[in-house]
Amino acid sequence: MEEPSTMPDPSAPAGSPAAPAVPPTPPVPLTALLAREDLALRQIAGPTDPGIVIHWAHTSEMADPYPYLLGGELLLTAGVHVPTAAGPGGGPEEKPRLEDYFDDYVSRIVAAGGAALGFGLAPVHDTVPRALVAACERHGLPLLEVPPQTTFSGVARAVWQLMAQARLAELRRVTEAQQSLAAAASRTDPVPSVLRQLAQRLAGWSVLYGPDGTRIAAAGRGPETQVREAMAELARVVRPAAGGRPSPSSATDAVAGTHLAAYALAPGRGFVLGVASPQRDPGDHTIASVAAVLLSLLTGEHQSGAGAARSSALVRLLLGAAPESVAPLLGDGRWFVVHARPDAGAPGAVEPPPGDSGPHDAVAASALGAALGSPLIDLGDGAVRVLVPADREPAPLPGWTLGVSAAVSPGDWAAADAQAARALARARATRAELVRHGEHTGLADLVPAAQAELHARTLLAPITETPALVETLHTWLSLHGSWDRTAVALSVHRNTVRQRITRCTALLDADLDDPDVRMELWFALRQIGQRLEAAPAPE
């Protein structure tokens, strides 16, 4: 039996190290790529484990590709770097031997998280160097021979095609499951119907536990006693602990070859959904989360004291009460504001389709709230917003990109909302699963606030009347001058970013390539940060 995991991604093995950032698309099994007859790829070294997967394809002729890899790549090279970087000798005044060169080269790829190496034959090398084959065997890196007639762009296209096929199949499966679960919830026996449909969709066993741990209902083929006992124990992990101590909203485990997952329904009330299945596919967590949301509604969450308190808080806000006066109805303490966007469906895509401000349906948003441990959800324009108690630290969620504010008191909810929006923009620009707002102190604290603000207003005066220029300059500097990432963060074309930065350069009469100038501008922008957060995003 594995140590129970409370990470929100049930597909990750318990106790596994943090995985590198990867695209929001299903990975491609290396065996599937090798099976493509049109590519004629041949594996000549390294492990042949069917579990090896490729997240993307990348071409590089760098002698040290480590700084340019994110992890999970099929790295493609024609060996252009080998003749100029290595020689046959080995003396102190000579270039390194091929064996040493390739050993360093392969070890760096493995250290960067590369999944496999593809070596192209012709025009540089007629055969794959033996020293490279030996190095890949030694370091456990799959080595593929790419024949002359197969282009690297053709290999990359095949990877994207396989990703698209897998993604489409996963989306179709999840969509069909959502529809069947919703239909089951409308029947005369909704709870047993939802459990039956969930068990069928996951080819496993589903069970609903009451607040006291009693099994209320179950569906599917019952597992052996050991698995049932482990599931009951896992349910206790997510059930509210005595004394009000925080508990995770979900937990996973594995026992006797069976994958287990437990989900707290309507956090704080004690109902728990348990799922046991022989395998754990990428879409299983989403399907189970949808079932958890439906069961939360069916177990009377809206008629509970918590639901009545939220309704009362909403009415008081509508009648003009201040946030801090209604916060006690929702729970004492500090809060996170979370902004979230679902990951794009197309392979490698980051931006939504033109004119799309955020395709969020109520079921998906409710599933997000359930995973974060809060029913306080808003399907806003461009992002789903969730108000999360500070004792439930938001963690990355499969299928979502998250921006998280600092933990604040109710009186600062508006500022935290702006923080979360900026964190989400940065997460999307950097392709991170989750970015948290960070408050840092530094040299700015050494300058009196009044003097610093006066300096900032004077320096930035030529552009402050154009919020789009201020926002673009702020984002561009925060992303180290990256045109593409700034365009993604602001949802504009990269040419628009270039035009705005050129305009800033002219108006400020400053050399933005000078690091001293950038530092001073960043200092000034930080001084007017509150005004930036209150300003609308550029059109």
Side-chain angles (χ1 to χ4, degrees):
M1 178 174 176
E2 300 180 2
E3 185 70 19
S5 169
T6 57
M7 296 298 292
D9 180 5
S11 62
S16 62
V22 295
T25 52
V28 174
L30 182 59
T31 53
L33 197 62
L34 291 169
R36 289 280 296 253
E37 296 182 357
D38 57 321
L39 300 179
L41 302 177
R42 185 169 68 95
Q43 184 170 350
I44 59 176
T48 57
D49 182 358
I52 297 175
V53 295
I54 303 297
H55 287 279
W56 37 35
H58 176 65
T59 301
S60 174
E61 297 299 340
M62 302 294 294
D64 181 13
Y66 180 95
Y68 309 98
L69 301 180
L70 296 177
E73 295 94 346
L74 166 61
L75 179 64
L76 299 170
T77 178
V80 176
H81 53 91
V82 176
T84 59
E93 303 300 329
E94 298 181 2
K95 296 176 182 178
R97 297 183 308 123
L98 280 176
E99 290 80 359
D100 295 335
Y101 172 77
F102 280 125
D103 189 80
D104 291 340
Y105 178 70
V106 173
S107 67
R108 292 287 282 173
I109 296 174
V110 173
L117 175 65
F119 194 91
L121 302 181
V124 182
H125 298 271
D126 295 330
T127 60
V128 180
R130 293 183 180 179
L132 177 58
V133 176
C136 288
E137 284 287 358
R138 189 162 48 252
H139 291 281
L141 180 69
L143 175 61
L144 312 184
E145 179 187 84
V146 183
Q149 70 272 16
T150 300
T151 63
F152 287 174
S153 59
V155 175
R157 180 176 59 187
V159 171
W160 308 144
Q161 288 174 343
L162 291 170
M163 281 186 173
Q165 293 170 6
R167 181 61 171 170
L168 180 61
E170 178 185 327
L171 290 175
R172 183 182 296 115
R173 172 174 172 260
V174 171
T175 300
E176 292 174 351
Q178 289 177 336
Q179 293 172 346
S180 63
L181 287 169
S186 64
R187 295 174 184 167
T188 55
D189 56 343
V191 171
S193 295
V194 169
L195 291 174
R196 283 196 299 269
Q197 194 59 233
L198 178 61
Q200 292 174 10
R201 292 290 172 175
L202 302 187
W205 180 64
S206 60
V207 57
L208 177 65
Y209 296 102
D212 59 354
T214 303
R215 191 173 74 180
I216 298 176
R221 183 177 180 180
E224 57 188 66
T225 303
Q226 180 184 5
V227 174
R228 290 199 301 271
E229 293 176 349
M231 177 63 78
E233 181 65 29
L234 192 64
R236 282 193 282 272
V237 173
V238 300
R239 188 173 293 113
R245 294 192 304 274
S247 58
S249 59
S250 64
T252 61
D253 198 1
V255 60
T258 301
H259 298 278
L260 309 179
Y263 301 85
L265 306 183
R269 299 192 59 236
F271 290 93
V272 176
L273 168 64
V275 180
S277 57
Q279 62 184 29
R280 188 173 294 150
D281 294 326
D284 289 356
H285 178 65
T286 302
I287 295 173
S289 296
V290 171
V293 171
L294 293 173
L295 290 171
S296 293
L297 299 176
L298 295 172
T299 51
E301 191 274 338
H302 283 294
Q303 280 69 46
S304 67
R310 286 196 300 276
S311 297
S312 177
L314 175 60
V315 171
R316 294 188 189 185
L317 284 173
L318 291 174
L319 295 178
E324 52 268 29
S325 68
V326 303
L329 294 172
L330 305 174
D332 296 329
R334 300 167 70 82
W335 299 78
F336 294 109
V337 176
V338 178
H339 280 216
R341 283 186 65 94
D343 294 337
V350 175
E351 287 299 313
D356 181 12
S357 62
H360 320 303
D361 60 74
V363 173
S366 297
L368 170 68
L372 292 174
S374 174
L376 303 174
I377 306 165
D378 171 44
L379 276 69
D381 183 17
V384 176
R385 302 188 298 176
V386 187
L387 198 58
V388 180
D391 60 359
R392 294 184 177 273
E393 185 81 14
L397 293 174
W400 291 90
T401 300
L402 305 179
V404 183
S405 74
V408 300
S409 59
D412 295 322
W413 280 348
D417 185 51
Q419 292 175 359
R422 291 186 178 280
L424 176 60
R426 186 169 182 84
R428 295 179 63 229
T430 58
R431 294 182 174 88
E433 291 180 313
L434 181 148
V435 168
R436 304 179 191 278
H437 173 80
E439 295 182 355
H440 304 285
T441 57
L443 293 176
D445 298 324
L446 303 178
V447 181
Q451 295 181 22
E453 183 177 357
L454 177 60
H455 173 75
R457 290 177 181 275
T458 303
L459 181 63
L460 299 173
I463 66 172
T464 50
E465 295 303 320
T466 309
L469 294 182
V470 178
E471 182 73 7
T472 301
L473 180 59
H474 180 275
T475 305
W476 184 74
L477 289 174
S478 74
L479 296 173
H480 311 292
S482 171
W483 307 107
D484 292 330
R485 291 184 176 184
T486 303
V488 170
L490 298 177
S491 298
V492 299
H493 195 277
R494 63 183 308 219
N495 288 343
T496 302
V497 176
R498 287 184 179 274
Q499 293 168 2
R500 291 177 181 173
I501 295 301
T502 300
R503 183 64 174 159
C504 289
T505 301
L507 292 174
L508 296 172
D509 191 21
D511 180 9
L512 295 185
D513 291 329
D514 187 333
D516 290 334
V517 173
R518 290 194 184 192
M519 179 182 68
E520 187 170 3
L521 288 173
W522 181 252
F523 176 87
L525 288 166
R526 288 290 298 272
Q527 301 310 306
I528 62 172
Q530 294 298 325
R531 190 150 52 107
L532 282 174
E533 290 183 352
E539 295 295 333

